[in-house]
Amino acid sequence: MKLKKLDQGKEYTTDAIVIGAGPIGLFAVFELGLLDIKTHLVDILDNPGGQCTELYPEKPIYDIPGIPKISGQGLTDELLKQIAPFDPSFHLSQMAESLFQNENKEWVLETNEKTKITSKVVIIAAGGGSFVPKKPPIPNIEKYEQLGFVKYSLKKLDEYKNKNILITGGGDSALDWTNILAPIANKVTLVHRRDEFRAAPDSVSKMHKFRDEGKVDLKIGQVKELNGENKLEEVQIESIGGENKYDIKTDYLMPFFGLTMKLGPIANFGLNLERNLINVDSEKFETNVKKIFAIGDINFYPGKLKLILSGFHEAALMSQQAFKYIFPEKKLRFQYTTTSSSLQNKLGIK
């Protein structure tokens, strides 16, 4: 799908604004499109896909119904194909900065690039909000970040074939990437403060198996120093008590200490928040502010599960209520894509 990227700093009008172009935001376009609702998407990243493409493009996902295994980038690509018939408009590399109602009671969203979009409804599908990786306190780490030898996300696995990789951290991301890179790298060194991990037990078992095979070297300690002129050459590891220090030759350092999530300007939209999440009802996924919805990881309601498939469900129910606001004079008729010739025509199915 060729993205329709609109110019910054101009004014636009549409039926619905979707804040966030991750998997849930993209699927919302599909559900809205089936109901003839036109959408504009706003995302701070420069490409659709959210965390799936920015942080985990090649990480396998196993719990999408009917798809036994797919990568983060693969899921994004398929969702973009699915919404192509509805020709959505994208406002990328822009943050949703302010939101207010005009004299016609329509929502007006303004971005940090002075783009203004007017719509009947707003759907917030911004994941956890703006996210940045937690950086370890290592001297001169910025130098190696700029040179491209410190990575907080991985996009092309081929870049790391036959390389020496040092991963530090003890959570799911650190263990997942250790297990993904071990078969293709020359050597993966995993550094953690203790021999206990916060990751899924299966991931820990896989890491120990790779260690037994000599593909992973587990070090208990912490990274203290980076060395190398125009590239990363050595990483100094210090034992927890500080008694021992030793250098490990490596081509890349990958710190995985989680993400810092920030709602950013969304926190100023007048919405009820709980633990930095947006409260919604579990029927329409509408917030306390009429005609503003929140779907995906950014919302909260009793029984909430932070799963992509849950977000897909929320997008479908949200769209039914959005239709009533956008087309109050029309009767909503529920149809199945498998049997409705009208819906199939919208999808370009002959």
Side-chain angles (χ1 to χ4, degrees), residues 134-347:
K134 295 179 182 178
K135 299 184 179 183
I138 303 172
N140 297 324
I141 192 170
E142 294 83 4
K143 169 187 172 181
Y144 297 99
E145 289 173 350
Q146 293 169 4
L147 289 171
F149 298 105
V150 175
K151 302 283 188 178
Y152 297 98
S153 64
L154 287 73
K155 296 187 176 181
K156 295 182 179 179
L157 288 183
D158 288 347
E159 183 179 353
Y160 309 105
K161 281 187 176 179
N162 302 316
K163 300 292 185 181
N164 294 316
I165 312 294
L166 191 144
I167 293 174
T168 180
D172 284 313
S173 293
L175 272 293
D176 285 346
W177 284 117
T178 296
N179 294 331
I180 290 170
L181 291 169
I184 66 170
N186 180 55
K187 172 63 74 71
V188 175
T189 301
L190 176 62
V191 179
H192 188 43
R193 292 177 58 87
R194 55 187 179 275
D195 194 14
E196 296 177 357
F197 299 90
R198 302 182 308 280
D202 181 60
S203 297
V204 177
S205 296
K206 287 180 180 177
M207 181 274 294
H208 284 301
K209 183 174 181 292
F210 282 128
R211 184 188 61 176
D212 294 342
E213 294 171 355
K215 295 179 180 178
V216 170
D217 189 10
L218 176 61
K219 300 290 186 184
I220 307 303
Q222 55 191 339
V223 176
K224 298 299 289 185
E225 190 177 303
L226 309 180
N227 296 302
E229 288 299 322
N230 298 317
K231 63 177 183 177
L232 181 61
E233 296 175 0
E234 286 184 343
V235 173
Q236 185 183 89
I237 306 298
E238 182 180 274
S239 60
I240 297 306
E243 305 88 0
N244 300 311
K245 293 182 180 180
Y246 45 91
D247 295 327
I248 296 177
K249 292 190 179 297
T250 191
D251 299 301
Y252 293 96
L253 169 65
M254 299 176 182
F256 292 113
F257 295 113
L259 302 172
T260 298
M261 297 290 187
K262 297 180 180 179
L263 277 182
I266 292 173
N268 302 319
F269 287 179
L271 308 174
N272 286 342
L273 302 178
E274 181 162 335
R275 291 173 292 182
N276 220 31
L277 300 172
I278 301 172
N279 274 311
V280 295
D281 65 66
S282 55
E283 178 188 359
K284 307 180 296 291
F285 302 97
E286 193 169 10
T287 69
N288 61 298
V289 180
K290 190 176 180 180
K291 301 182 182 179
I292 298 182
F293 303 85
I295 57 177
D297 284 358
I298 202 164
N299 74 13
F300 175 80
Y301 55 89
K304 168 71 178 185
L305 290 177
K306 288 193 173 185
L307 295 171
I308 292 176
L309 64 90
S310 299
F312 288 167
H313 158 79
E314 294 163 14
L317 292 184
M318 171 278 298
S319 299
Q320 303 290 303
Q321 180 61 34
F323 176 91
K324 297 174 184 177
Y325 287 142
I326 295 167
F327 304 118
E329 73 287 354
K330 294 184 180 180
K331 184 177 180 180
L332 178 61
R333 186 164 63 94
F334 183 73
Q335 302 177 80
Y336 295 100
T337 56
T338 51
T339 56
S340 169
S341 58
S342 172
L343 294 182
Q344 291 172 12
N345 286 333
K346 293 174 186 178
L347 296 171

Side-chain angles (χ1 to χ4, degrees), residues 1-4 29 38-40 83-90:
M1 172 186 172
K2 185 176 181 180
L3 300 183
K4 184 198 286 185
V29 172
K38 300 295 183 184
T39 55
H40 281 224
I83 66 174
F86 304 118
D87 195 29
S89 298
F90 288 85

